[in-house]
Every structure is written in C-alpha cells, then in structure tokens.
Amino acid sequence: MSQLWFGGTIYTMHRDGERVEAVLVESGKILKVGSYDELISQAEEVIDLQGAVMYPGFVDSHLHMIGYGEKLLRVDLTNVKSSDEMLDVIREAATKCSSDEWLIAEGWDENQFNDLRIPTAQELDEIRQAPIVLKRVCRHVILANTSAMAAGNITHETQNPEGGEIGRDKNGLLTGLLYDQALYKVLDQIPVENEYTLSNTLEQAVNHMLSLGLTGGHTEDISYYGHFSNPLNAFNEIIGKKKNFRVHLLRHHLAFEQMMTSSVTYAEPFVEAGAMKIFSDGALGGATAALLEPYENQPQNKGLFIHTAEQLDQLVKLARTYDEAVAVHIIGDAALEQVLTAIEANPLTNGKKDRLIHCSVVNNDLIEQMSKLPVILDVQPQFILSDFPWIVDKIGLKRAELTYPFKKFLEKGLICAGGSDAPIEDVNPLLGIHAAIARKKIEQNHEGYNPEEKLSRFEAISLYTIGSAKAIGKEKVRGVIQPGYDADFSIFNKDLFACEVDEIPDAIALKTVVAGNIVFSNK
C-alpha cells in the first residue's frame, strides 16, 4: 500500500536546509518526493504529520544494545554523587537480593563524586558476603567484593593478565578494582541465566530506543554472553521477526572467525553482519587509555595496550582473510598510532572502510594520517560533556585541547558517524546532537569546551543520519529522504534547525518509522 506523508516540515538531509512538502512510500521504500498536489493521486493512504518535523531515521553508530538493556534492568549508579551515596544505594539493593544472587550495578563515575573517592572491596564485603560487581561508567573498570574476585580466582598472588591490571593499594592488598582484561576474570563468572533472558533484555533496549526516535543501531554484543549464537539468536528473534528496527552487528575478534566459518543466518535487512571489533586500549576515566606521553596526574602511567603491535597486526590480517573491515575501539593517541600502523600495513581492497571508534585524544599529525586512509570515524559527542573539565587534570591542558576535534575531522574530509556508546552514555540521540553543537551542558555558562570544534546543526544531525549510513556502506539506501531510499523516519515535535540550541534535548519523538511502518507512536 502506498503512503503519502505530508502536513509538516520534512528535512531530506541531502543538503543543508533542503525540505520537501510530501514523501510517497511504497513497499518500505521512498518512491517519490515532491509536492502534495503532484503525489496525492498516487497514494492509497494519507498520513498527516499535523505540524510535526520529519528527518531521515536517526541511527546510533556505536552502542552495546544488550548491555544497554542490562542497564535498564539493573541498579543504576549514573547519578550517584559520592562514595557514601554509592554504598547506600548498594546497601539498599542488597536487601532485595537473595543470598545466592550476584548484585550487579552500572554506571558509577568517581569524577562526579564530591569526595573523588572510590569505595573498597572491604567496604562492599561489609554490605554482603555474596558477590557484588559495580561497573564503572566506561565499562573498562569494575569494583568487585572479595567473593566476586574469588569466583574469578583472583587472590593476592594473581598476576596481572596481558592487557589488564588488578588493583592493589600501597600495601599490596586487593582494592577490588579490575581494569580492562582483568575484569573478565570476574564478569565471565556471572550467571546470566539467573537474571533475565537475552531476548527480554534486548527487547527492553529496542523499545526504549524506538521511543527516542532511533530507527537503528550499530551494536557490539557478540562474545560476552557465552557462544556467539546466544546474542545472535536474540537479535534474530526480537528484531528479525518484528522487523521494527535495523541493527548492524560488529563481531568481536574472539568470535569473528567462528562466525565466518559457521552457517550463520542473519535476518536481513533488519539484522546485518558487520566488521571485526577490536579493543586497542582502555578509557581515560580509568587512566587505561594508551597515550604517547604519561598522564599529567600519573607521571609513571601511559595507559594500557590491549594487544601488542604484533597481535593487532595479526587480527587485522585475519579480518582481511575474509575481506572484512575492522572496527577498533581507540581512545588514546598511542593506541591510534598503533592501529593506523596495522591498517596501513594491511590495506582494504574491496571498497569497505575501517571504522575507528571514539578517537578521543588526537594530534594533527594523526588526523593527517587518517585523512589518507579509507576510514570512518565513529565519534561520541556526549563524551565531551562527561570528560570535561576533569580531563584537563588527567592529561593536561595542551592535550585536552586536542580531544574530540570533530570540526577538524570534517574539514580534513573525514567521514564521521555519531553514537552514544550506550550504556556508557545516554542513548538519546538528541543529547549527542546538542553536545556536538554546544560542547557544554545546558546549565553551563561558557562558550563550550574547545569551542572552535563546534559543529553546525546540519553537521551534527548528519552524524546520526547519513554519517551512520556511510559507516556501513549504506549511503545509497539510507540516511537521507529521497527516491529509492529506505522509508525510515524519525518524527519529532520540534524543528531541530529552528529551535533554541538548548531546547534540542527537549524534543519529543512523536513517531518512529522503519521500512514504512510506524513502529512507535506516543499518541
């Protein structure tokens, strides 16, 4: 059945400011765009936007959907403001846990604690003897109590694993902090089946994302939930059957080759296979991002490489064996240097582009190097608001001025896509759009952090439309409103080009449309 969408403001996002009066849709595709009068005779159904504003479907270019669903279901520490408050929240949560149940909470960030103090494993032991695991907001650090560490066979004698660190105090006692590869010793012991099913968790995430106007997401969840078929089956079941969302699956390097050599089925075009996912370093908050020079406040620390240069080179070679791109988590400039060396040594020859995720601390030489390679930069604008101003103390003012240089990326011709890294940040795309434009929180009264890197509204919204489409080679079928493209639309009550900048996060998704079907409506 052909549909005619009209009666509001329709931005094509093909060019800055370009609008059309009406859009004709048939069989999940955009058939024509033009005026109401010229298209109405071809429509079997008419949908009046009633003054709402339509954009191409917003897509989050980087997140962890099952992990986000977990955050929605677990104890949330995102807004905790002190170590004592965090302990109080866990103490209350413990009263609701059975004695054999793991207590898991998400999202703490000591940088927003008024005392800047992280509780210890011993303090968690005083709350309960059963396992407690508290995931830091970056998910590159956890805080665990003694029984959780014991489940992972971590004792005072346990050596740091390659690419990770076990936290110890000045006396050599375990603090309960586990960094990067070390944390999997504990996380791998969590009995997921006792909490909820992966399908239920994923459905929670999808429903919430649809309510925010998101029509799709590029997600990395493979290898964290047992055999790769466990999360894959959940995606095929929840999204493949309902056809209400488009998900692009990055495949963790630990599961990549097995997935490539197995008879794997994807419910395309709603569930699609993506690049090999690799982690190159940690995070700035936990001081595990790999830097060329030491941390300003930790002169002996340059962070952590997850892989040696040789190991990383072998992983990129493995991806190329299957004609596949890599998608690499990169925070520090040293990690970026290591990754660029590996992909330069193993160039893509099939038209695909490697994805460089985050690219937080970047100098001009590295930007120049990236501009000569077939890469996509997958950026997270909300990181600006989470990292400033404490990042100055962490890496110094000079390097802080080189963080999240989105305008420089675009000026050098680099293609950028926008994501949230949820559950690290809020999945709401409007928060990312606002952060890219303002580079400050709404309540702050300044010109923005590194204001010369502010994006225009068109550039910021493009991160979540055509940028996300280009990240997966779908720019000829998604990301703009024009004939032949998928009929995926995000419809809001506000004009993001005309409202006050600080009103952007207040916009409400009225309808979310995937393949011509209204999959969310709030009225």
Side-chain angles (χ1 to χ4, degrees):
M1 175 181 289
S2 57
Q3 310 165 322
L4 186 67
W5 295 79
F6 82 105
T9 302
I10 302 174
Y11 286 102
T12 68
M13 292 303 296
H14 181 56
R15 298 182 186 86
D16 193 354
E18 182 175 274
R19 295 182 289 183
V20 294
E21 185 180 356
V23 177
L24 187 67
V25 172
E26 187 171 43
S27 300
K29 293 282 188 178
I30 299 170
L31 193 60
K32 295 179 180 180
V33 299
S35 70
Y36 174 85
D37 289 340
E38 67 183 347
L39 297 179
I40 184 60
S41 62
Q42 303 172 58
E44 299 171 82
E45 180 185 10
V46 175
I47 302 175
D48 189 345
L49 291 169
Q50 298 180 336
V53 187
M54 177 190 285
Y55 309 85
F58 287 1
V59 174
D60 190 310
S61 69
H62 183 68
L63 78 161
H64 309 272
M65 287 180 63
I66 294 177
Y68 184 65
E70 289 175 333
K71 184 174 182 179
L72 294 173
L73 293 167
R74 287 176 175 164
V75 178
D76 187 3
L77 301 174
T78 304
N79 297 314
V80 167
K81 299 301 182 185
S82 71
S83 56
D84 286 341
E85 183 183 351
M86 184 159 85
L87 291 170
D88 287 342
V89 171
I90 298 306
R91 196 172 288 111
E92 171 64 22
T95 65
K96 303 171 185 176
C97 285
S98 62
S99 59
D100 61 348
E101 183 180 355
W102 287 58
L103 195 168
I104 305 168
E106 304 261 359
W108 60 272
D109 182 359
E110 78 281 6
N111 292 303
Q112 67 179 16
F113 291 180
N114 54 32
D115 54 1
L116 298 177
R117 187 183 78 84
I118 302 171
T120 64
Q122 292 71 33
E123 288 175 290
L124 297 183
D125 291 341
E126 292 173 3
I127 293 175
R128 72 193 302 248
Q129 293 304 303
I132 299 176
V133 174
L134 311 182
K135 297 184 180 183
R136 193 182 183 279
V137 61
C138 63
R139 284 200 163 194
H140 287 263
V141 184
I142 64 171
L143 177 64
N145 69 347
T146 299
S147 61
M149 288 189 286
N153 294 315
I154 295 175
T155 68
H156 299 299
E157 289 75 36
T158 306
Q159 298 297 307
N160 290 335
E162 187 174 9
E165 183 178 338
I166 298 169
R168 294 175 170 86
D169 65 18
K170 61 183 179 181
N171 298 315
L173 298 177
L174 297 176
T175 62
L177 291 170
L178 302 174
Y179 301 86
D180 285 292
Q181 296 304 100
L183 56 82
Y184 293 108
K185 287 180 172 291
V186 170
L187 295 187
D188 288 347
Q189 310 308 314
I190 297 174
V192 175
E193 68 276 5
N194 292 339
E195 289 193 89
Y196 34 73
T197 68
L198 293 181
S199 294
N200 178 46
T201 307
L202 179 60
E203 190 165 30
Q204 292 273 343
V206 170
N207 289 341
H208 189 235
M209 292 173 73
L210 290 173
S211 75
L212 296 171
L214 285 162
T215 62
H218 308 166
T219 186
E220 196 262 303
D221 301 273
I222 306 298
S223 92
Y224 305 119
Y225 306 96
H227 193 268
F228 73 78
S229 62
N230 295 334
L232 179 59
N233 289 341
F235 282 107
N236 281 335
E237 176 187 344
I238 296 302
I239 296 173
K241 288 182 179 179
K242 293 186 177 181
K243 302 179 180 179
N244 62 343
F245 196 79
R246 297 190 194 273
V247 65
H248 186 84
L249 302 179
L250 300 183
R251 294 170 286 183
H252 195 286
H253 74 86
L254 291 176
F256 177 80
E257 188 165 28
Q258 188 179 9
M259 295 182 77
M260 296 301 295
T261 57
S262 301
S263 299
V264 177
T265 300
Y266 301 92
E268 296 181 304
F270 301 97
V271 180
E272 301 168 338
M276 175 198 281
K277 173 66 185 293
I278 307 170
F279 284 87
S280 69
D281 67 344
L284 288 168
T288 57
L291 301 177
L292 291 171
E293 299 297 332
Y295 283 84
E296 187 82 3
N297 60 351
Q298 298 181 34
Q300 306 305 313
N301 180 25
K302 288 187 178 182
L304 291 171
F305 288 105
I306 303 299
H307 307 284
T308 65
E310 293 74 19
Q311 290 169 338
L312 183 65
D313 186 73
Q314 288 303 309
L315 288 173
V316 178
K317 276 187 170 70
L318 176 60
R320 303 304 195 239
T321 299
Y322 294 96
D323 287 327
E324 193 52 84
V326 293
V328 193
H329 163 109
I330 305 161
I331 298 290
D333 47 9
L336 179 56
E337 186 177 77
Q338 183 194 56
V339 171
L340 293 180
T341 298
I343 63 176
E344 283 178 335
N346 302 279
L348 277 166
T349 59
N350 59 0
K352 292 185 178 181
K353 292 181 172 62
D354 291 316
R355 183 191 300 229
L356 309 180
I357 304 169
H358 308 316
C359 298
S360 302
V361 182
V362 188
N363 61 45
N364 290 331
D365 290 340
L366 290 169
I367 294 175
E368 184 68 27
Q369 191 175 356
M370 287 190 293
S371 71
K372 296 172 181 171
L373 295 170
V375 295
I376 298 286
L377 306 193
D378 193 340
V379 301
Q380 289 65 48
Q382 291 183 74
F383 281 9
I384 301 166
L385 311 189
S386 297
D387 290 1
F388 280 91
W390 61 258
I391 196 173
V392 177
D393 295 328
K394 207 85 161 179
I395 64 174
L397 180 60
K398 184 177 179 181
R399 280 183 295 182
E401 291 175 347
L402 300 174
T403 55
Y404 311 114
F406 302 155
K407 196 74 171 183
K408 285 190 182 71
F409 291 161
L410 295 179
E411 288 173 347
K412 289 300 293 185
L414 287 157
I415 299 168
C416 295
S420 65
D421 204 12
I424 310 306
E425 300 289 349
D426 193 309
V427 78
N428 187 344
L430 300 179
L431 296 177
I433 290 168
H434 176 265
I437 298 167
R439 294 183 71 96
K440 71 177 185 66
K441 296 178 181 178
I442 291 173
E443 66 273 14
Q444 293 174 330
N445 185 25
H446 57 77
E447 291 302 306
Y449 299 111
N450 301 343
E452 69 279 3
E453 298 296 341
K454 290 180 179 180
L455 299 188
S456 70
R457 299 195 195 206
F458 180 74
E459 290 168 334
I461 296 171
S462 292
L463 296 178
Y464 297 83
T465 51
I466 191 62
S468 290
K470 287 180 177 179
I472 58 174
K474 297 287 185 180
E475 63 269 29
K476 294 183 179 179
V477 292
R478 295 178 198 161
V480 295
I481 295 177
Q482 63 183 39
Y485 280 61
D486 290 330
D488 299 346
F489 310 130
S490 299
I491 301 170
F492 291 89
N493 68 335
K494 284 183 182 290
D495 187 332
L496 305 181
F497 287 97
C499 68
E500 294 292 329
V501 169
D502 286 346
E503 291 179 356
I504 289 174
D506 297 329
I508 297 170
L510 300 179
K511 285 183 172 59
T512 304
V513 180
V514 175
N517 297 312
I518 299 172
V519 293
F520 167 80
S521 178
N522 76 350
K523 62 178 181 179

